[in-house]
């Protein structure tokens, strides 16, 4: 979502007559889009700002703006935290960016935090997209779930969906520009609703657009992954067999404390149903280790769930207390060392599972959407993805074009990557 927002900001600035440069030394304005979901992300931003400060000292007229969730969360405090920061602008204030820049250039500093956290959808703004084959489209913004640990609902506001026609128009535009893959984005895409169009209806309509060859979506909350949507994924060639469904923990006590509103049994039944209906989709999840009060047994329950469900990928995070959330009121009582040990154990288990799952694909044929030459290997190697979102590398003597859909036979795998030959 942040990468998409950066493209949105680039679109806004382009319309206002600004031009992007590749080299930071050439820039009059430096904008840093930020994430507040974990403290680590924020620390990295502050380090980055420091490094830009050096550049700014060389050229005192450079404007450095902080955008995104950190700007929303810290606002004017950011200006006190670093003398390099000229202004902070939250994610619902981007429309106002050209105005804020003008004020700065005329010597009237201005910071804009909250404009419209509950209704802004950027409906009429066209992002300036990075070249490639895959394009993001935000279909909704915000979140109403208030998981106890999560800062997102406080910074991104309530759920609101973009008009259907707007999304379809943008998809047509993107396809005409040569993009082949559309990724429908939102904090909670399955909660999409505009009039009587819900997410399953929307994704069906997007898939009817000629030239949109693959459609993905991210991310879903377990409460909204309906059998209706699973059947549409199963029955529609263009919609990828790829589900990102965060479980966060395998312990019922922790799920309850996290305010996730489902049990491990319910989650297991959802994944089982997805596999029954779709076949063998790529299933990816997020897990937090070291939530306050997470006992050894709670963590063992998470390990057990991962062993049982055998995901294709798990994104593991150490719990990070976020001021303003419900969990912030609890003691962050799992030591850094225990969080690290749990994270390493979970990652090692998942690596083994992914390797075993991928090994089963040896000898199979996979359809790949080619993303480009593989930069890490010698000439003649190309890189693409399966519809289950696995990276695949293959060799071919002749030129293969970016955006081609090709069939390859898998002959080798690693934990994360498939290797094959063009058929
Ligand atoms: N600490 C650690 N991880 C978090 N996430 C969200 N909030 C926190 C937090 N406070 C993780 C969740 C979410 C992913 C995007 O980030 O796993 O699914
Ligand atoms: Fe955060 Fe929960 Fe909303 Fe995801 S569903 S953005 S974890 S509050």
């Amino acid at each position: 979502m942040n990468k998409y927002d950066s493209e949105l900001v680039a679109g806004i600035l382009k319309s206002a007559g600004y031009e992007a440069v590749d080299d930071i030394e050439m820039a009059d304005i430096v904008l840093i889009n930020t994430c507040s979901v974990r403290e680590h992300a924020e620390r990295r931003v502050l380090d980055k700002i420091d490094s830009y400060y050096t550049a700014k000292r060389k050229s005192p007229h450079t404007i450095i703006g902080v955008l995104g969730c950190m700007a929303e969360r810290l606002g004017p405090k950011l200006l006190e935290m670093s003398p390099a920061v000229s202004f902070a602008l939250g994610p619902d204030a981007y429309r106002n960016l050209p105005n804020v820049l003008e004020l700065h250039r005329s010597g009237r500093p201005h910071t804009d935090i909250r404009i419209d956290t509950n209704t802004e959808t950027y409906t009429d703004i066209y992002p300036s997209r990075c070249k490639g084959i895959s394009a993001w489209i935000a279909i909704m913004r915000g979140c109403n779930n208030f998981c106890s640990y999560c800062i997102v609902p406080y910074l991104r506001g309530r759920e609101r969906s973009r008009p259907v026609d707007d999304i379809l128009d943008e998809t047509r535009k993107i396809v005409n520009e040569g993009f082949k893959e559309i990724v429908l984005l939102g904090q909670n895409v399955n909660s999409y609703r505009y009039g009587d169009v819900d997410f399953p209806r929307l994704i069906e309509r997007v898939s009817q657009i000629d030239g949109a060859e693959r459609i993905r979506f991210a991310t879903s909350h377990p409460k909204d992954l309906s059998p209706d949507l699973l059947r549409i994924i199963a029955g529609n060639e263009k919609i990828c067999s790829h589900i990102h469904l965060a479980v966060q923990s395998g312990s019922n006590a922790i799920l309850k404390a996290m305010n996730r509103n489902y049990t491990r049994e319910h989650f297991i039944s959802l994944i089982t149903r997805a596999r029954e209906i779709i076949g063998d989709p790529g299933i990816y999840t997020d897990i937090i280790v070291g939530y306050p009060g997470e006992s050894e047994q709670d963590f063992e329950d998470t390990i057990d769930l991962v062993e049982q469900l055998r995901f294709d990928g798990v994104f593991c995070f150490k719990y990070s207390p976020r001021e303003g959330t419900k969990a912030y009121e609890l003691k962050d009582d799992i030591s850094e060392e225990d969080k690290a040990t749990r994270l390493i154990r979970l990652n090692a288990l998942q690596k083994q599972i992914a390797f075993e799952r991928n090994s089963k694909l040896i000898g199979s044929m996979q359809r790949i959407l080619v993303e480009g030459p593989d930069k890490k290997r010698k000439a003649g190697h190309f890189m693409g993805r399966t519809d289950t979102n696995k990276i695949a590398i293959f060799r071919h003597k002749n030129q293969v074009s970016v955006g081609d859909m090709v069939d390859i036979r898998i002959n080798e795998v690693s934990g994360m990557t498939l290797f094959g030959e063009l058929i």
Side-chain angles (χ1 to χ4, degrees):
M1 186 58 108
N2 263 10
K3 287 187 179 179
Y4 173 83
D5 274 0
S6 294
E7 294 181 343
L8 196 75
V9 166
I12 292 171
L13 290 182
K14 205 170 158 189
S15 315
Y18 289 90
E19 204 183 305
V21 289
D22 293 329
D23 181 358
I24 196 157
E25 302 263 324
M26 301 285 293
D28 302 315
I29 301 162
V30 179
L31 301 173
I32 307 162
N33 197 359
T34 61
C35 171
S36 286
V37 82
R38 283 172 291 276
E39 197 197 342
H40 177 65
E42 292 200 345
R43 232 179 302 132
R44 281 175 51 200
V45 168
L46 293 172
D47 289 347
K48 261 219 149 110
I49 295 172
D50 280 348
S51 75
Y52 295 151
Y53 188 41
T54 324
K56 185 169 163 141
R57 258 190 304 205
K58 272 192 242 155
S59 157
H61 299 298
T62 314
I63 295 173
I64 299 183
V66 177
L67 311 180
C69 285
M70 234 176 127
E72 184 76 25
R73 194 174 89 76
L74 295 165
K77 268 195 234 156
L78 266 170
L79 278 66
E80 290 160 26
M81 285 162 84
S82 169
V85 176
S86 319
F87 67 88
L89 203 78
D92 288 302
Y94 297 151
R95 262 180 217 281
N96 203 18
L97 184 55
N99 189 24
V100 171
L101 287 173
E102 270 318 304
L103 286 171
H104 271 271
R105 294 171 68 179
S106 58
R108 285 173 291 161
H110 182 79
T111 279
D112 201 343
I113 305 309
R114 246 160 239 266
I115 285 195
D116 208 356
T117 334
N118 292 327
T119 57
E120 177 61 90
T121 58
Y122 295 112
T123 271
D124 45 352
I125 292 170
Y126 193 62
S128 173
R129 292 190 160 81
C130 299
K131 284 202 182 71
I133 50 143
S134 193
W136 297 297
I137 302 187
I139 59 162
M140 55 87 65
R141 299 177 86 87
C143 179
N144 291 350
N145 289 325
F146 289 93
C147 302
S148 314
Y149 50 82
C150 186
I151 192 82
V152 168
Y154 302 94
L155 302 179
R156 292 273 175 166
R158 297 293 71 72
E159 279 173 14
R160 63 267 187 199
S161 298
R162 256 178 88 177
V164 187
D165 288 341
D166 226 74
I167 297 167
L168 297 177
D169 283 349
E170 191 167 338
T171 307
R172 285 186 205 101
K173 227 169 174 170
I174 288 170
V175 165
N176 286 338
E177 284 173 21
F179 289 97
K180 306 273 179 192
E181 184 176 84
I182 309 293
V183 187
L184 303 179
L185 279 186
Q187 262 84 35
N188 240 312
V189 281
N190 306 68
S191 295
Y192 178 89
R193 176 166 283 280
Y194 195 83
D196 54 2
V197 178
D198 59 5
F199 185 64
R201 303 288 86 71
L202 175 76
I203 199 167
E204 263 188 324
R205 292 194 45 192
V206 170
S207 77
Q208 284 157 2
I209 293 176
D210 281 343
E213 291 187 22
R214 275 187 170 176
I215 296 136
R216 300 186 191 276
F217 55 93
T219 69
S220 327
H221 188 283
K223 76 175 166 46
D224 306 306
L225 193 78
S226 64
D228 185 21
L229 177 63
L230 294 175
R231 277 192 286 273
I232 286 171
I233 299 173
N236 189 318
E237 276 257 303
K238 288 181 166 184
I239 303 175
C240 290
S241 287
H242 167 200
I243 296 172
H244 188 122
L245 198 67
V247 64
Q248 311 296 4
S249 169
S251 149
N252 277 335
I254 297 296
L255 286 173
K256 189 152 198 277
M258 286 176 163
N259 192 32
R260 289 291 289 177
N261 281 314
Y262 55 84
T263 59
R264 78 180 256 135
E265 291 75 20
H266 176 69
F267 189 88
I268 292 170
S269 72
L270 269 181
I271 300 296
T272 311
R273 188 164 65 188
R275 287 182 170 144
E276 275 165 14
I277 296 178
I278 303 175
D280 195 12
I283 299 185
Y284 300 79
T285 199
D286 294 351
I287 292 177
I288 296 174
V289 296
Y291 185 80
E294 185 188 67
S295 65
E296 277 301 328
Q297 186 52 51
D298 290 321
F299 178 64
E300 289 305 325
D301 287 351
T302 298
I303 290 281
D304 182 73
L305 180 113
V306 169
E307 278 173 345
Q308 205 175 319
L309 289 180
R310 300 179 68 75
F311 297 102
D312 294 278
V314 177
F315 299 89
C316 304
F317 308 104
K318 288 189 248 177
Y319 168 69
S320 166
R322 306 279 63 208
E323 199 174 349
T325 61
K326 272 261 174 294
Y328 192 75
E329 293 158 23
L330 306 170
K331 189 159 177 260
D332 182 19
D333 58 353
I334 310 299
S335 68
E336 189 51 35
E337 200 186 342
D338 282 348
K339 284 181 189 170
T341 312
R342 290 176 191 182
L343 191 81
I344 290 168
R345 214 179 127 200
L346 201 51
N347 278 330
L349 170 65
Q350 179 53 34
K351 196 171 166 199
Q352 180 60 26
I353 291 172
F355 178 71
E356 286 165 13
R357 275 182 66 72
N358 288 347
S359 297
K360 289 206 175 129
L361 299 175
I362 293 178
S364 72
M365 192 197 76
Q366 299 288 325
R367 179 148 288 192
I368 307 296
L369 178 58
V370 179
E371 290 184 19
D374 178 39
K375 294 191 188 92
K376 281 196 225 143
R377 287 167 190 81
K378 287 187 234 107
H381 287 77
F382 296 89
M383 180 263 175
R385 270 168 218 269
T386 64
D387 81 332
T388 55
N389 209 33
K390 297 190 181 194
I391 292 175
I393 310 285
F394 64 97
R395 248 182 321 147
H396 189 52
K397 287 197 292 293
N398 302 324
Q399 186 58 32
V400 177
S401 299
V402 174
D404 280 356
M405 199 77 93
V406 299
D407 290 328
I408 67 168
R409 190 176 318 281
I410 306 301
N411 48 30
E412 210 186 314
V413 298
S414 74
M416 301 300 290
T417 313
L418 311 176
F419 300 90
E421 297 286 336
L422 193 80
I423 296 175

